[in-house]
PDB file of all heavy atoms in Angstrom:
ATOM      1  N   ILE A   1     339.702  -9.328 173.036  1.00 81.00           N
ATOM      2  CA  ILE A   1     338.486  -9.096 173.819  1.00 81.00           C
ATOM      3  C   ILE A   1     338.734  -8.193 175.027  1.00 81.00           C
ATOM      4  O   ILE A   1     337.951  -7.266 175.280  1.00 81.00           O
ATOM      5  CB  ILE A   1     337.876 -10.444 174.255  1.00 81.00           C
ATOM      6  CG1 ILE A   1     337.568 -11.314 173.025  1.00 81.00           C
ATOM      7  CG2 ILE A   1     336.627 -10.226 175.076  1.00 81.00           C
ATOM      8  CD1 ILE A   1     336.631 -10.669 172.042  1.00 81.00           C
ATOM      9  N   PRO A   2     339.792  -8.393 175.837  1.00 86.00           N
ATOM     10  CA  PRO A   2     339.980  -7.533 177.022  1.00 86.00           C
ATOM     11  C   PRO A   2     340.069  -6.043 176.720  1.00 86.00           C
ATOM     12  O   PRO A   2     339.381  -5.248 177.393  1.00 86.00           O
ATOM     13  CB  PRO A   2     341.288  -8.074 177.632  1.00 86.00           C
ATOM     14  CG  PRO A   2     341.347  -9.487 177.196  1.00 86.00           C
ATOM     15  CD  PRO A   2     340.766  -9.501 175.822  1.00 86.00           C
ATOM     16  N   PRO A   3     340.850  -5.582 175.709  1.00 84.00           N
ATOM     17  CA  PRO A   3     340.861  -4.139 175.438  1.00 84.00           C
ATOM     18  C   PRO A   3     339.503  -3.593 174.995  1.00 84.00           C
ATOM     19  O   PRO A   3     339.132  -2.475 175.379  1.00 84.00           O
ATOM     20  CB  PRO A   3     341.915  -3.990 174.325  1.00 84.00           C
ATOM     21  CG  PRO A   3     342.751  -5.200 174.404  1.00 84.00           C
ATOM     22  CD  PRO A   3     341.851  -6.280 174.884  1.00 84.00           C
ATOM     23  N   ILE A   4     338.776  -4.377 174.187  1.00 79.00           N
ATOM     24  CA  ILE A   4     337.466  -3.919 173.714  1.00 79.00           C
ATOM     25  C   ILE A   4     336.505  -3.759 174.891  1.00 79.00           C
ATOM     26  O   ILE A   4     335.811  -2.740 175.032  1.00 79.00           O
ATOM     27  CB  ILE A   4     336.898  -4.887 172.664  1.00 79.00           C
ATOM     28  CG1 ILE A   4     337.736  -4.844 171.384  1.00 79.00           C
ATOM     29  CG2 ILE A   4     335.448  -4.556 172.341  1.00 79.00           C
ATOM     30  CD1 ILE A   4     337.295  -5.827 170.329  1.00 79.00           C
ATOM     31  N   PHE A   5     336.450  -4.758 175.775  1.00 80.00           N
ATOM     32  CA  PHE A   5     335.553  -4.686 176.917  1.00 80.00           C
ATOM     33  C   PHE A   5     335.955  -3.558 177.864  1.00 80.00           C
ATOM     34  O   PHE A   5     335.108  -2.794 178.339  1.00 80.00           O
ATOM     35  CB  PHE A   5     335.548  -6.031 177.666  1.00 80.00           C
ATOM     36  CG  PHE A   5     334.544  -7.004 177.153  1.00 80.00           C
ATOM     37  CD1 PHE A   5     334.136  -6.956 175.838  1.00 80.00           C
ATOM     38  CD2 PHE A   5     334.006  -7.972 177.975  1.00 80.00           C
ATOM     39  CE1 PHE A   5     333.219  -7.854 175.342  1.00 80.00           C
ATOM     40  CE2 PHE A   5     333.075  -8.880 177.497  1.00 80.00           C
ATOM     41  CZ  PHE A   5     332.679  -8.816 176.183  1.00 80.00           C
ATOM     42  N   ALA A   6     337.256  -3.441 178.149  1.00 81.00           N
ATOM     43  CA  ALA A   6     337.715  -2.427 179.098  1.00 81.00           C
ATOM     44  C   ALA A   6     337.450  -1.021 178.577  1.00 81.00           C
ATOM     45  O   ALA A   6     336.953  -0.153 179.313  1.00 81.00           O
ATOM     46  CB  ALA A   6     339.203  -2.620 179.383  1.00 81.00           C
ATOM     47  N   SER A   7     337.758  -0.771 177.310  1.00 77.00           N
ATOM     48  CA  SER A   7     337.532   0.563 176.745  1.00 77.00           C
ATOM     49  C   SER A   7     336.053   0.878 176.639  1.00 77.00           C
ATOM     50  O   SER A   7     335.635   2.027 176.866  1.00 77.00           O
ATOM     51  CB  SER A   7     338.202   0.665 175.368  1.00 77.00           C
ATOM     52  OG  SER A   7     337.694  -0.322 174.489  1.00 77.00           O
ATOM     53  N   SER A   8     335.225  -0.121 176.316  1.00 72.00           N
ATOM     54  CA  SER A   8     333.781   0.114 176.219  1.00 72.00           C
ATOM     55  C   SER A   8     333.199   0.497 177.577  1.00 72.00           C
ATOM     56  O   SER A   8     332.384   1.424 177.679  1.00 72.00           O
ATOM     57  CB  SER A   8     333.080  -1.130 175.673  1.00 72.00           C
ATOM     58  OG  SER A   8     333.533  -1.445 174.372  1.00 72.00           O
ATOM     59  N   LEU A   9     333.600  -0.217 178.626  1.00 75.00           N
ATOM     60  CA  LEU A   9     333.077   0.083 179.954  1.00 75.00           C
ATOM     61  C   LEU A   9     333.528   1.458 180.436  1.00 75.00           C
ATOM     62  O   LEU A   9     332.783   2.163 181.114  1.00 75.00           O
ATOM     63  CB  LEU A   9     333.531  -0.991 180.954  1.00 75.00           C
ATOM     64  CG  LEU A   9     332.881  -2.364 180.805  1.00 75.00           C
ATOM     65  CD1 LEU A   9     333.450  -3.332 181.831  1.00 75.00           C
ATOM     66  CD2 LEU A   9     331.368  -2.271 180.958  1.00 75.00           C
ATOM     67  N   LEU A  10     334.745   1.848 180.089  1.00 76.00           N
ATOM     68  CA  LEU A  10     335.245   3.151 180.526  1.00 76.00           C
ATOM     69  C   LEU A  10     334.626   4.305 179.740  1.00 76.00           C
ATOM     70  O   LEU A  10     334.350   5.372 180.300  1.00 76.00           O
ATOM     71  CB  LEU A  10     336.771   3.202 180.383  1.00 76.00           C
ATOM     72  CG  LEU A  10     337.581   2.629 181.540  1.00 76.00           C
ATOM     73  CD1 LEU A  10     339.069   2.706 181.224  1.00 76.00           C
ATOM     74  CD2 LEU A  10     337.293   3.368 182.830  1.00 76.00           C
ATOM     75  N   LEU A  11     334.424   4.098 178.442  1.00 69.00           N
ATOM     76  CA  LEU A  11     333.909   5.178 177.607  1.00 69.00           C
ATOM     77  C   LEU A  11     332.396   5.317 177.687  1.00 69.00           C
ATOM     78  O   LEU A  11     331.859   6.359 177.310  1.00 69.00           O
ATOM     79  CB  LEU A  11     334.324   4.945 176.154  1.00 69.00           C
ATOM     80  CG  LEU A  11     335.819   5.059 175.873  1.00 69.00           C
ATOM     81  CD1 LEU A  11     336.117   4.694 174.430  1.00 69.00           C
ATOM     82  CD2 LEU A  11     336.329   6.451 176.176  1.00 69.00           C
ATOM     83  N   LEU A  12     331.704   4.284 178.173  1.00 65.00           N
ATOM     84  CA  LEU A  12     330.248   4.364 178.266  1.00 65.00           C
ATOM     85  C   LEU A  12     329.792   5.463 179.224  1.00 65.00           C
ATOM     86  O   LEU A  12     328.928   6.279 178.862  1.00 65.00           O
ATOM     87  CB  LEU A  12     329.683   3.008 178.682  1.00 65.00           C
ATOM     88  CG  LEU A  12     328.160   2.883 178.687  1.00 65.00           C
ATOM     89  CD1 LEU A  12     327.597   3.171 177.299  1.00 65.00           C
ATOM     90  CD2 LEU A  12     327.745   1.503 179.161  1.00 65.00           C
ATOM     91  N   PRO A  13     330.324   5.565 180.460  1.00 65.00           N
ATOM     92  CA  PRO A  13     329.906   6.696 181.320  1.00 65.00           C
ATOM     93  C   PRO A  13     330.254   8.052 180.722  1.00 65.00           C
ATOM     94  O   PRO A  13     329.489   9.008 180.883  1.00 65.00           O
ATOM     95  CB  PRO A  13     330.690   6.453 182.620  1.00 65.00           C
ATOM     96  CG  PRO A  13     331.061   5.017 182.594  1.00 65.00           C
ATOM     97  CD  PRO A  13     331.251   4.662 181.155  1.00 65.00           C
ATOM     98  N   LEU A  14     331.399   8.127 180.039  1.00 64.00           N
ATOM     99  CA  LEU A  14     331.795   9.398 179.434  1.00 64.00           C
ATOM    100  C   LEU A  14     330.814   9.813 178.343  1.00 64.00           C
ATOM    101  O   LEU A  14     330.432  10.986 178.246  1.00 64.00           O
ATOM    102  CB  LEU A  14     333.206   9.278 178.863  1.00 64.00           C
ATOM    103  CG  LEU A  14     333.795  10.525 178.195  1.00 64.00           C
ATOM    104  CD1 LEU A  14     333.862  11.663 179.183  1.00 64.00           C
ATOM    105  CD2 LEU A  14     335.165  10.225 177.621  1.00 64.00           C
ATOM    106  N   THR A  15     330.383   8.862 177.531  1.00 61.00           N
ATOM    107  CA  THR A  15     329.434   9.175 176.462  1.00 61.00           C
ATOM    108  C   THR A  15     328.082   9.604 177.032  1.00 61.00           C
ATOM    109  O   THR A  15     327.463  10.563 176.571  1.00 61.00           O
ATOM    110  CB  THR A  15     329.256   7.953 175.547  1.00 61.00           C
ATOM    111  OG1 THR A  15     330.523   7.578 175.017  1.00 61.00           O
ATOM    112  CG2 THR A  15     328.319   8.272 174.396  1.00 61.00           C
ATOM    113  N   ILE A  16     327.614   8.870 178.065  1.00 60.00           N
ATOM    114  CA  ILE A  16     326.334   9.223 178.685  1.00 60.00           C
ATOM    115  C   ILE A  16     326.405  10.616 179.310  1.00 60.00           C
ATOM    116  O   ILE A  16     325.475  11.427 179.181  1.00 60.00           O
ATOM    117  CB  ILE A  16     325.962   8.173 179.744  1.00 60.00           C
ATOM    118  CG1 ILE A  16     325.696   6.824 179.068  1.00 60.00           C
ATOM    119  CG2 ILE A  16     324.735   8.614 180.534  1.00 60.00           C
ATOM    120  CD1 ILE A  16     325.430   5.704 180.048  1.00 60.00           C
ATOM    121  N   SER A  17     327.524  10.912 179.967  1.00 60.00           N
ATOM    122  CA  SER A  17     327.664  12.229 180.593  1.00 60.00           C
ATOM    123  C   SER A  17     327.731  13.333 179.552  1.00 60.00           C
ATOM    124  O   SER A  17     327.236  14.445 179.782  1.00 60.00           O
ATOM    125  CB  SER A  17     328.917  12.254 181.473  1.00 60.00           C
ATOM    126  OG  SER A  17     330.089  12.112 180.682  1.00 60.00           O
ATOM    127  N   GLN A  18     328.332  13.044 178.389  1.00 57.00           N
ATOM    128  CA  GLN A  18     328.398  14.057 177.337  1.00 57.00           C
ATOM    129  C   GLN A  18     327.008  14.369 176.792  1.00 57.00           C
ATOM    130  O   GLN A  18     326.658  15.524 176.565  1.00 57.00           O
ATOM    131  CB  GLN A  18     329.316  13.583 176.209  1.00 57.00           C
ATOM    132  CG  GLN A  18     330.792  13.661 176.554  1.00 57.00           C
ATOM    133  CD  GLN A  18     331.660  13.114 175.447  1.00 57.00           C
ATOM    134  OE1 GLN A  18     331.185  12.399 174.569  1.00 57.00           O
ATOM    135  NE2 GLN A  18     332.932  13.434 175.489  1.00 57.00           N
ATOM    136  N   PHE A  19     326.197  13.318 176.569  1.00 55.00           N
ATOM    137  CA  PHE A  19     324.844  13.551 176.072  1.00 55.00           C
ATOM    138  C   PHE A  19     323.987  14.233 177.142  1.00 55.00           C
ATOM    139  O   PHE A  19     323.191  15.125 176.845  1.00 55.00           O
ATOM    140  CB  PHE A  19     324.200  12.231 175.650  1.00 55.00           C
ATOM    141  CG  PHE A  19     324.579  11.801 174.268  1.00 55.00           C
ATOM    142  CD1 PHE A  19     325.572  10.857 174.067  1.00 55.00           C
ATOM    143  CD2 PHE A  19     323.961  12.339 173.157  1.00 55.00           C
ATOM    144  CE1 PHE A  19     325.942  10.455 172.794  1.00 55.00           C
ATOM    145  CE2 PHE A  19     324.310  11.954 171.881  1.00 55.00           C
ATOM    146  CZ  PHE A  19     325.306  11.007 171.698  1.00 55.00           C
ATOM    147  N   ALA A  20     324.174  13.796 178.405  1.00 54.00           N
ATOM    148  CA  ALA A  20     323.363  14.385 179.482  1.00 54.00           C
ATOM    149  C   ALA A  20     323.794  15.801 179.795  1.00 54.00           C
ATOM    150  O   ALA A  20     322.984  16.625 180.237  1.00 54.00           O
ATOM    151  CB  ALA A  20     323.467  13.528 180.738  1.00 54.00           C
ATOM    152  N   GLY A  21     325.065  16.100 179.548  1.00 50.00           N
ATOM    153  CA  GLY A  21     325.574  17.425 179.874  1.00 50.00           C
ATOM    154  C   GLY A  21     324.941  18.536 179.072  1.00 50.00           C
ATOM    155  O   GLY A  21     324.969  19.696 179.475  1.00 50.00           O
ATOM    156  N   ASN A  22     324.349  18.226 177.932  1.00 50.00           N
ATOM    157  CA  ASN A  22     323.734  19.260 177.109  1.00 50.00           C
ATOM    158  C   ASN A  22     322.417  19.757 177.689  1.00 50.00           C
ATOM    159  O   ASN A  22     321.955  20.838 177.355  1.00 50.00           O
ATOM    160  CB  ASN A  22     323.497  18.716 175.689  1.00 50.00           C
ATOM    161  CG  ASN A  22     324.794  18.443 174.959  1.00 50.00           C
ATOM    162  OD1 ASN A  22     325.543  19.349 174.643  1.00 50.00           O
ATOM    163  ND2 ASN A  22     325.076  17.183 174.692  1.00 50.00           N
ATOM    164  N   SER A  23     321.801  18.945 178.558  1.00 50.00           N
ATOM    165  CA  SER A  23     320.510  19.327 179.127  1.00 50.00           C
ATOM    166  C   SER A  23     320.581  19.571 180.625  1.00 50.00           C
ATOM    167  O   SER A  23     319.551  19.702 181.274  1.00 50.00           O
ATOM    168  CB  SER A  23     319.472  18.225 178.842  1.00 50.00           C
ATOM    169  OG  SER A  23     319.915  16.989 179.364  1.00 50.00           O
ATOM    170  N   VAL A  24     321.801  19.597 181.186  1.00 50.00           N
ATOM    171  CA  VAL A  24     321.966  19.766 182.630  1.00 50.00           C
ATOM    172  C   VAL A  24     322.623  21.112 182.892  1.00 50.00           C
ATOM    173  O   VAL A  24     323.560  21.511 182.185  1.00 50.00           O
ATOM    174  CB  VAL A  24     322.815  18.616 183.224  1.00 50.00           C
ATOM    175  CG1 VAL A  24     323.095  18.874 184.701  1.00 50.00           C
ATOM    176  CG2 VAL A  24     322.095  17.292 183.050  1.00 50.00           C
ATOM    177  N   ASP A  25     322.157  21.809 183.913  1.00 52.00           N
ATOM    178  CA  ASP A  25     322.737  23.086 184.301  1.00 52.00           C
ATOM    179  C   ASP A  25     324.115  22.857 184.907  1.00 52.00           C
ATOM    180  O   ASP A  25     324.272  22.085 185.866  1.00 52.00           O
ATOM    181  CB  ASP A  25     321.820  23.780 185.307  1.00 52.00           C
ATOM    182  CG  ASP A  25     322.324  25.185 185.647  1.00 52.00           C
ATOM    183  OD1 ASP A  25     323.248  25.666 184.955  1.00 52.00           O
ATOM    184  OD2 ASP A  25     321.772  25.782 186.587  1.00 52.00           O
ATOM    185  N   ALA A  26     325.134  23.516 184.360  1.00 52.00           N
ATOM    186  CA  ALA A  26     326.501  23.312 184.830  1.00 52.00           C
ATOM    187  C   ALA A  26     326.708  23.830 186.241  1.00 52.00           C
ATOM    188  O   ALA A  26     327.653  23.399 186.929  1.00 52.00           O
ATOM    189  CB  ALA A  26     327.491  23.987 183.874  1.00 52.00           C
ATOM    190  N   ASP A  27     325.856  24.751 186.721  1.00 59.00           N
ATOM    191  CA  ASP A  27     326.023  25.301 188.058  1.00 59.00           C
ATOM    192  C   ASP A  27     325.414  24.422 189.144  1.00 59.00           C
ATOM    193  O   ASP A  27     325.673  24.639 190.336  1.00 59.00           O
ATOM    194  CB  ASP A  27     325.387  26.693 188.129  1.00 59.00           C
ATOM    195  CG  ASP A  27     326.106  27.678 187.202  1.00 59.00           C
ATOM    196  OD1 ASP A  27     327.319  27.484 186.976  1.00 59.00           O
ATOM    197  OD2 ASP A  27     325.446  28.613 186.697  1.00 59.00           O
ATOM    198  N   SER A  28     324.612  23.456 188.762  1.00 62.00           N
ATOM    199  CA  SER A  28     323.988  22.574 189.738  1.00 62.00           C
ATOM    200  C   SER A  28     324.988  21.522 190.226  1.00 62.00           C
ATOM    201  O   SER A  28     326.078  21.354 189.670  1.00 62.00           O
ATOM    202  CB  SER A  28     322.756  21.894 189.132  1.00 62.00           C
ATOM    203  OG  SER A  28     323.138  21.074 188.045  1.00 62.00           O
ATOM    204  N   GLY A  29     324.594  20.810 191.287  1.00 65.00           N
ATOM    205  CA  GLY A  29     325.475  19.778 191.826  1.00 65.00           C
ATOM    206  C   GLY A  29     325.697  18.643 190.846  1.00 65.00           C
ATOM    207  O   GLY A  29     326.814  18.153 190.677  1.00 65.00           O
ATOM    208  N   PHE A  30     324.619  18.231 190.179  1.00 60.00           N
ATOM    209  CA  PHE A  30     324.755  17.155 189.200  1.00 60.00           C
ATOM    210  C   PHE A  30     325.585  17.606 188.009  1.00 60.00           C
ATOM    211  O   PHE A  30     326.370  16.835 187.449  1.00 60.00           O
ATOM    212  CB  PHE A  30     323.370  16.698 188.743  1.00 60.00           C
ATOM    213  CG  PHE A  30     323.404  15.539 187.778  1.00 60.00           C
ATOM    214  CD1 PHE A  30     323.772  14.277 188.192  1.00 60.00           C
ATOM    215  CD2 PHE A  30     323.064  15.732 186.442  1.00 60.00           C
ATOM    216  CE1 PHE A  30     323.802  13.215 187.303  1.00 60.00           C
ATOM    217  CE2 PHE A  30     323.100  14.683 185.549  1.00 60.00           C
ATOM    218  CZ  PHE A  30     323.458  13.415 185.983  1.00 60.00           C
TER     219      PHE A  30
END
């Protein structure tokens, strides 16, 4: 359970940022 929970919590922001990065201007602050 600990590795599954730890990896899920760490990879969740990365996945969201990858999906959001396709619609966000790279030159902006965000």
Side-chain angles (χ1 to χ4, degrees):
I1 302 302
I4 293 177
F5 272 28
S7 58
S8 298
L9 289 179
L10 275 178
L11 293 175
L12 186 59
L14 180 60
T15 302
I16 294 175
S17 65
Q18 285 177 343
F19 277 99
N22 293 293
S23 57
V24 174
D25 185 11
D27 296 331
S28 63
F30 183 70

